[in-house]
Amino acid sequence: MPRFGIGQPLTRKEDLRLLTGRGRYVDDLSFPNQARAEFLRSPHAHARIVQIDVEKAKSASGVCAVYVSADIANAGLGGLPVWFMPENAPPGYAPEFPLLAQDVVRYVGESLAMIVAESAEQAARALDLIEVKYESLPTSVGLEEATSDGAPELWPGKAPFNVAFLWQGGDMSAVVTALRQAAHLVEIDVINNRVAIAAIECRAAIGVHDAIKSRSTLYTTSQMPHPLRADLAAIFNESEDQFRVVIGDVGGGFGSKNSMYGEQALVIWAARMLDRPIKWVGERSDAFITDFHGRDNVTHGELALDQDGNFLGMLVDVTANLGAYISGRGAMSPVLNQPALAGTYRTPAIHVRVRGMFTNTVPTDVYRGAGRPEAIYLLERLIDKAADELNIDRVELRRRNMIPADAFPYETPLGLTYDGGLFERNLDEGLRRMDWDGMVSRRAEARARGRRRGIGLANYVERCGHGITQDAQIKVAADGGVTVLIGTMSSGQGHETAYAQISAELLGVQPSQVKVIQGDTDLVAQGKGTGGSWSIPVGGAAMSKAADAIIDKGKEIASHLLEASSADIEFSGGYFTVAGTDHAMDWSSVAASAYDPTLLPEGMTPGLEGTGEFVPSNHTFPNGCHLCEVELDPKTGSLDIVRYLVVHDFGVVLNPLLLEGQVHGGVAQGLGQAVFERTYYDNAGQFHTSSFLDYNIPRADEIPSIEFISNPTPCPANPLGFKGCGEAGAAGAPPAVVNAVVDALKEFGVKHIDMPLTPERIWRTINNAATKQDFP
Amino acid sequence: MEYKAPSSIDEAVMLLAQANGKAHVLAGGTDLLVQIRAGFTKPTLVVDVKNILELRTISVADDGVCIGAAVTGAELGEHDAVKAAWPGLVEATELIGSTQIQGRASLGGNLCNASPAADTVPALVAASAICLIAGPNGQREAPVEQIVTGPGQTSLKNSEFVVQFQLPKKLPRSADAYLRFIPRTEMDIAVVGAGVNLTLDKKGICQQARVALGAVAPTVLLVEAGAKALIGSTLDDAALDKLRAAASAACNPIDDKRGTVEFRVDVAGVLAKRAVLIAKQRAEMN
Ligand SMILES: Cc1cc2nc3c(=O)[nH]c(=O)nc-3n(C[C@H](O)[C@H](O)[C@H](O)COP(=O)(O)OP(=O)(O)OC[C@H]3O[C@@H](n4cnc5c(N)ncnc54)[C@H](O)[C@@H]3O)c2cc1C
């Protein structure tokens, strides 16, 4: 095996650049003669725009132009494209999501006007001079409000009762039959709280137009350059080749930079109008109210069990908050990933109904896991509740219902075919390493100090990669250097390292010989961007096909020069060898020969490159068990996360450093949602948690060191055996920590507590549940 | 905006007195510079007091300790004598911000910024600290609890500033303690702060007590009823419960996204009680 091939803990190639401040983000770019844009955001959650007067703003110093919705409507620009709406129900309603609000604003932060000025300060100052007359309209902010009788409607006549769509999956009659046979029915209501996604690099965009070539270039921060180009083409009603999208380093995305935002089209439009580059860089305060949020579901779940605790059927009813409009991929999370509800258990019948709701809030979109964490949270909370009500040990209840190792391929009632996994072993390893049985004494010891301890676990199965095709192009230069062109897009995951390592494995080169080109639609032919943990499984598999083409051609060249039959040439470790002999050519001489027509077989085109496309035949199924131990102060509600363990099956591990880094981040975000991150809209739709003082992103000292146990199984659907690890952490963490806290609060009679588990929430839950007596 | 860095008290007083428009004293700047940047205040003159010796000196004498108003948290945290005599005040100071902030933040700034949640103020009040104040009419003294009159407001007159804090002579078997509650583990604004200073006699009976609470009212509260509950007792459970109730009863907090009234009121009692137990343990040891 080459030293830097698959499985090696190669340190990140991009880190020297990123950690020494030499990354290139959007704000690092500037163009000669550029002007700056700022946007006027609605201060109201729901209001009619009676009048906008921009005259004063237009004549303010430094201002080049002010645009409102009428200006762009006259130019025929469309709204933001919606990439997904569920199909199986009567058609839902996806309203036009205008780049600038037309007659009505529907959430605080919605853009109303764009100002372009010589400097950002001048543009910001002129914002205050735009006079808008609003007539306020009644609001529906939270899900409870939006679904209540007589709730104000956002889209009267179009989306009655604020319902954007209804969708259902699974077999209802099978579930009804199961319910009839059940000895027990356990119910739970959970809130999957809304989060601000809060990537460290705020959104930003620069539009540059070349009037001679009639082509526009967008420099922006995005996880999906090619889909973004398609969106631009749709909005401008032009062909894709009139646009180029260029993405540099991306400071995090987590789903918030998958879909398009109005600013990205408007900087191009203004660049065309004014014939100069237009730059916009968002502020953090803007980001909190204008970046698409994540999660926000209210879910009711029912689990039917027989006398012995076998799961018979599950009924799930999800109400999903889509916000005021449907964002590009906003309907995906609550619909596409509901199959995760099956988890690691053999529940024979599952039915899920989803109601997508409009509310006067910023739209939600995909967020790390995109529906899988929500489903797994419901399932694993429901199982703990069932164990409690049936008085069966929660580990035993899970064990009893676990899909056994010999059951694969296993078809779930929501249409997935699992191809492998050692679910019970994940659990056993976790219990052993956490010393689950030793909890009795740890609980007593904490109690003696006036504290309470709890432990919890959650099993999960994810699914990645199916339905995505990705191609990769690998070019080998005459000096043997390798360039990988690929349409995935790193937002911090370390693709440069990962793809270099895959190249090292496949082609026997050094990682330092590999360049990775991503994020430029003029250079990379096709791409889906990065999301859904698919880049390494799908991108890697595409690379392996591209590498095969290169190796095949290399063999022909070597066979010609070594005067052997090409069938006798073996390629390994960077050498083309005539089998059974010591006649060989190394990588760089084959690469050099490939560019010298005199050395090539007759009729062979010079050059050495390959393109491969991978169309997955099935999903991959990363799976694992998360365990969490907590300690809390019952008098103040303060929570310490004491230990955290992940037992995982990600198939073949490409690079344990990258992988653990992905899982660390995922767990931290999962714990963030579950414990720290509280978004708060008041009844009038004002967003109050719009700075990092009030919106608590987890910090290093609040997350324990995360322990890992690897328990891999093969991944038949992927040629390199990778399953994908980008999102799993965020899926396991919320139920693991909430189960641990409910365990710690058991003595107070607590059956459930909603996220986020802030001290006050824990304090209040204890005080509401406990007998009025004081406790030690 | 003009910036001056005088090296004497008189010069500073003169600069402040002659200023036209808004003038601000600058110590560490960890409040002031943030406020200027955010546009909350737009002074025409800033008088940096960090070059004035009296404001940068810690002196320990038989009759007590004097701490310059611009002494930084880091300096105080490394001062063994002050740490030994007033561990509660030092722990309150060291809670401010992070290592970087500690290199700048001062007691004078923490007090005069007049945030209801300022961490050192309950500890200063519990310790019966007196401010030495300089102004155009010479110097005067005032107890710490008389300085802040409301959020962002002080009783300092124009061109007055705090020179130093005087802490009384430390009695045997006495000690202070400070606890705060924040939703996070560090770098956050107090939802409740509780400072306590106790003196015990040889039998462990509480002779003197001061209890002060932060972040539960517009200004820091000196809870007389709490002290009364403790004095004369051995700090037994009954006395502690009375103290807890008195502390909760004294609170008049705001209801906001950082903490509701019920929560702040209850936790104030919990923290006051815990702070007493820490101070008691310390007092028994010295
Ligand atoms: C990241 C961060 C974290 C923080 N964490 C905490 C915390 O945990 N707890 C907490 O209590 N505070 C905290 N603060 C607030 C701040 O650091 C403290 O209040 C600090 O003590 C202020 O001291 P300073 O010397 O920096 O004051 P400055 O900013 O210099 O001054 C503050 C105010 O007091 C006035 N002033 C300063 N000195 C005098 C004087 N001698 N006489 C009269 N007026 C004076 C100034 O004019 C100004 O109005 C934090 C601040 C930051 C930026």
Side-chain angles (χ1 to χ4, degrees), chain B residues 23-35 49-50 55 69-71 92 95-98 101 104-115 117-120 156 160-163 165 180 182 187-190:
Chain B
H24 259 296
V25 170
L26 173 76
T30 60
D31 278 317
L32 186 60
L33 295 187
V34 177
Q35 289 157 8
V49 292
K50 287 196 292 295
L55 279 91
V71 165
L95 281 174
I96 296 176
S98 56
I101 298 291
R104 309 287 291 181
S106 67
L107 292 182
N110 197 230
L111 176 67
C112 298
N113 185 57
S115 157
D119 277 307
T120 66
L156 295 178
E160 277 190 335
F161 60 91
V162 178
V163 174
F165 295 89
R180 75 165 176 190
I182 53 172
M187 287 284 278
D188 202 352
I189 297 175

Side-chain angles (χ1 to χ4, degrees), chain A residues 450 633 635-638 640 676 678 680 688-689 692-699 701-702 759-760 763-764 767 774, chain B residues 181-189 191 241 244 255-264 266-267 270-271 273-274:
Chain A
D633 177 342
K635 299 262 168 101
T636 64
S638 289
D640 287 338
F676 304 100
R678 172 167 174 250
Y680 172 48
H688 288 265
T689 41
F692 285 128
L693 181 60
D694 295 313
Y695 190 74
N696 297 350
I697 298 286
R699 296 187 185 135
D701 68 327
E702 289 161 331
E760 174 150 359
W763 171 87
R764 192 171 293 283
N767 282 282
D774 199 24
Chain B
F181 182 79
I182 53 172
R184 328 201 57 164
T185 46
E186 61 164 322
M187 287 284 278
D188 202 352
I189 297 175
V191 168
D241 285 346
R244 179 178 164 177
D255 208 14
D256 75 353
K257 60 198 165 190
R258 303 186 48 76
T260 60
V261 169
E262 303 104 280
F263 182 62
R264 287 176 195 255
D266 187 46
V267 172
V270 171
L271 254 60
K273 180 172 160 180
R274 289 180 181 176

